[in-house]
């Protein structure tokens, strides 16, 4: 499974957050696309409309398990996708900004 660390992510990289709604609302990376793992297959068209055509998709969840599943699925579909190692827990621990549903400072559940 292709994996990258949070430190490898740059501003403008496409980030797909596959955590559930309550986790997203409590805190997420600003600018990420949110499609929960439980809804991913049904909302795949929403993903393909938003994802870069020739760019890499960085998939993130709380710690890396759910995002690994989605990243593997995307790779099987021929998409350049990688799992973000350690997920939002590492994102927050490295001081990356986390915002809640209102755009205020958030927390990672």
């Amino acid at each position: 499974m292709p994996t990258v660390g949070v430190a490898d992510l740059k501003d403008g990289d496409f980030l797909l957050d596959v955590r559930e709604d309550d986790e997203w609302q409590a805190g997420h990376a600003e600018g990420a696309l949110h499609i929960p793992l439980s809804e991913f297959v049904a909302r795949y068209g929403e993903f393909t409309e938003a994802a870069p055509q020739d760019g890499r998709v960085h998939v993130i969840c709380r710690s890396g398990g759910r995002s690994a599943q989605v990243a593997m699925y995307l790779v099987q579909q021929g998409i350049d996708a990688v799992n973000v190692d350690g997920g939002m827990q590492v994102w927050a621990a490295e001081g990356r900004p986390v915002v809640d549903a209102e755009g205020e400072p958030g927390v990672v559940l």
Side-chain angles (χ1 to χ4, degrees):
M1 164 56 36
T3 303
V4 297
V6 169
D8 298 322
L9 295 172
K10 296 169 187 56
D11 289 343
D13 282 346
F14 186 82
L15 192 63
L16 171 64
D17 190 323
V18 297
R19 297 174 303 143
E20 294 303 315
D21 287 335
D22 62 328
E23 295 171 287
W24 169 265
Q25 291 174 11
H28 58 271
E30 193 169 14
L33 173 65
H34 176 233
I35 303 178
L37 172 62
S38 61
E39 301 173 14
F40 191 75
V41 173
R43 294 175 58 187
Y44 187 74
E46 183 180 333
F47 162 76
T48 58
E49 287 181 19
Q53 297 303 314
D54 295 320
R56 175 169 278 181
V57 175
H58 302 84
V59 189
I60 197 165
C61 66
R62 182 174 186 265
S63 60
R66 290 171 284 179
S67 54
Q69 293 176 47
V70 173
M72 188 175 313
Y73 174 78
L74 293 174
V75 167
Q76 291 170 347
Q77 305 309 308
I79 295 170
D80 180 11
V82 294
N83 185 35
V84 179
D85 191 36
M88 287 299 297
Q89 289 180 318
V90 171
W91 179 278
E94 290 192 7
R96 297 274 186 128
V98 176
V99 296
D100 68 12
E102 285 77 43
E104 299 297 321
V107 297
V108 175
L109 296 182

